Amino acid sequence: MVVLPLSPVMRTRIMPQPPLLLFPTHYLGNLVLGLPWVLRVLERHNEAVAVFDASFRPLLSMLPEADSRALYYPRKELATDKGFTHRLRHYLGFLGELRKYKGHCLIDMEGERFSGAIARFSGCRRRIGPLAKRARWFYSDVLDLDYLAHRYNAFGEIIGDYGAGEPPPSALDFKVAPELADRMRVLLDGHRVNRPLAVIHPGASVRYKLWPREHFARLVRNLYDAGLQVAWIGAGRFDADVIAGIERELENRQLRDSPAIDLCNRLSLPELVALFRQSRLFIGCDSGPMHLAAAAGLPVLALFGPSREAIWAPLGEQSTVLRGELPCADDCDAWHCRNDYHCLRSLTPDMVLARIAALSETGAAHS
């Protein structure tokens, strides 16, 4: 999918103060979709500062223009398993750093209650945020954003005149250090990878986004027979369980060896970017790694079911959303479907393989 144009209704704002972008999301997909706008603002405004979740610092270190102007929200240090004194010390320390920029115009790109509270405590007189419960208490300027448009557009809408002009490219120019690229080559050599690599993330944040494991098993077998090496990626117990289920399906097909290598829970985000740089294509469900692969420039085949393509499709001219042939019922949503989400189940491995063949013919897939 190509980068979408912004809504024609944009708010004109006076910009007497440098911007302070509050963007401590812990969702990888949201981060990737909002980063082009953050980088646009940092490029144009020398005094601009951005706030990110500290867990993303290794990834943002690959974008020096963002990392060098960043404050990091210590989410892990505020977890409930930490002692009260520990949490209070880290939260007050973060607020102390944030309040050094109280002369800035704060823009809450996250729009959650915790970020609204941070905005309120920031000391900034001008605080811009999205319409939500208690928004009038959190912000001085409340905007009713179009959340039915692509989330990339919503981020551009709240940035407003600070990022005015043509929408920034959705691709992100990650700097992969030579030693990181070498480390990834050593890892792949250790798995005796001597074929073009197809990276597959079969997991997702919620179950209704999952493609059937028997579909993945058949797809992987056919990709291997077509000369591609498959690598599983993922993070956490849920993704690992999904991959284990697919591997059991492959065993049931009486394959002597798995045609895929398992890199789940083995890669940091920088290593994942380095892997994408050495891969032919990405296949996966609606997820954060899907958006990261697209932003890193890898051809992406996104397997969509109930997810709203208009909001969450991967961006970039090399990204394609694939859907099944059967539509869901009118009352189908993310939490309920009387047709058992056959919109996703009716997307067959043959349909995915046909699209991969088309990419190969046009030369769209990485060589």
Side-chain angles (χ1 to χ4, degrees):
M1 173 174 282
V2 299
V3 173
L4 301 172
L6 287 176
S7 167
V9 180
M10 295 294 292
R11 295 163 176 82
T12 301
R13 307 176 205 147
I14 301 172
M15 300 183 300
Q17 305 140 308
L20 171 60
L21 304 180
L22 184 58
F23 194 32
T25 181
H26 65 287
Y27 293 109
L28 177 60
N30 279 359
L31 177 75
V32 170
L33 294 174
L35 268 175
W37 293 104
V38 174
L39 295 174
R40 161 70 62 83
V41 173
L42 295 179
E43 176 186 359
R44 292 187 174 181
H45 303 275
N46 293 332
E47 297 181 59
V49 178
V51 178
F52 301 105
D53 190 295
S55 64
F56 290 125
R57 189 166 195 168
L59 179 66
L60 292 166
S61 69
M62 305 176 77
L63 298 168
E65 59 273 37
D67 186 46
S68 63
R69 312 257 296 274
L71 294 178
Y72 286 100
Y73 175 67
R75 184 186 302 271
K76 290 184 178 179
E77 304 303 328
L78 306 178
T80 55
D81 62 339
K82 307 289 185 181
F84 174 77
T85 302
H86 179 96
R87 286 182 283 151
L88 182 63
R89 183 174 70 252
H90 280 275
Y91 190 70
L92 292 179
F94 166 73
L95 286 181
E97 290 298 311
L98 187 70
R99 288 177 68 89
K100 292 178 182 179
Y101 303 96
K102 61 184 179 181
H104 285 48
C105 171
L106 184 144
I107 302 174
D108 185 2
M109 298 176 63
E110 175 77 338
E112 300 289 345
R113 279 191 298 176
F114 86 94
S115 61
I118 292 172
R120 180 72 179 188
F121 299 146
S122 69
C124 298
R125 295 187 63 184
R126 190 160 190 224
R127 305 178 305 278
I128 300 171
L131 180 64
K133 188 176 181 180
R134 299 179 184 174
R136 297 291 177 187
W137 189 82
F138 294 141
Y139 313 117
S140 61
D141 298 39
V142 177
L143 303 182
D144 187 7
L145 304 179
D146 182 8
Y147 282 125
L148 295 180
H150 200 281
R151 190 52 48 91
Y152 166 93
N153 289 38
F155 287 132
E157 192 176 4
I158 197 167
I159 291 294
D161 288 346
Y162 283 108
E166 289 295 316
S170 60
L172 297 170
D173 186 18
F174 292 108
K175 310 298 183 186
V176 178
E179 57 270 23
L180 178 57
D182 290 342
R183 191 160 71 243
M184 187 52 54
R185 279 191 286 268
V186 169
L187 175 64
L188 296 177
D189 288 344
H191 286 279
R192 299 180 181 178
V193 175
N194 56 9
R195 300 166 169 231
L197 197 62
V199 177
I200 297 183
H201 178 224
S205 58
V206 287
R207 290 189 177 276
Y208 69 78
K209 296 181 180 181
L210 297 179
W211 203 41
R213 65 185 185 186
E214 60 271 18
H215 285 7
F216 271 120
R218 182 180 167 195
L219 176 66
V220 168
R221 177 73 266 176
N222 287 338
L223 289 175
Y224 192 81
D225 290 344
L228 292 172
Q229 173 65 62
V230 171
W232 301 124
I233 63 164
R237 178 64 179 271
F238 183 77
D239 281 3
D241 288 345
V242 170
I243 292 169
I246 300 170
E247 288 290 342
R248 286 193 296 272
E249 189 72 26
L250 288 168
E251 291 174 3
N252 292 339
R253 293 168 184 248
Q254 299 181 337
L255 298 178
R256 185 175 60 183
D257 298 307
S258 172
I261 61 173
D262 188 358
L263 301 180
C264 182
N265 288 320
R266 295 190 59 188
L267 303 177
S268 65
L269 288 176
E271 289 171 333
L272 189 56
V273 172
L275 177 70
F276 290 157
R277 291 285 174 84
Q278 300 184 36
S279 302
R280 174 71 61 87
L281 77 158
F282 174 95
I283 304 169
C285 307
D286 176 18
S287 69
M290 173 199 74
H291 289 293
L292 184 62
L298 192 60
V300 168
L301 296 182
L303 314 178
F304 269 43
S307 297
R308 292 190 177 184
E309 180 180 341
I311 302 175
W312 297 114
L315 298 179
E317 294 182 353
Q318 296 193 91
S319 296
T320 303
V321 171
L322 298 178
R323 289 187 174 276
E325 297 177 337
L326 298 177
C328 278
D330 293 339
D331 60 347
C332 177
D333 58 30
W335 301 272
H336 165 77
C337 179
R338 50 191 165 93
N339 292 329
D340 194 24
Y341 299 112
H342 66 193
C343 59
L344 184 55
R345 291 188 295 106
S346 62
L347 173 60
T348 67
D350 286 342
M351 295 166 68
V352 179
L353 290 165
R355 184 57 189 173
I356 294 172
L359 288 176
S360 299
E361 290 175 2
T362 60
H366 281 190
S367 60

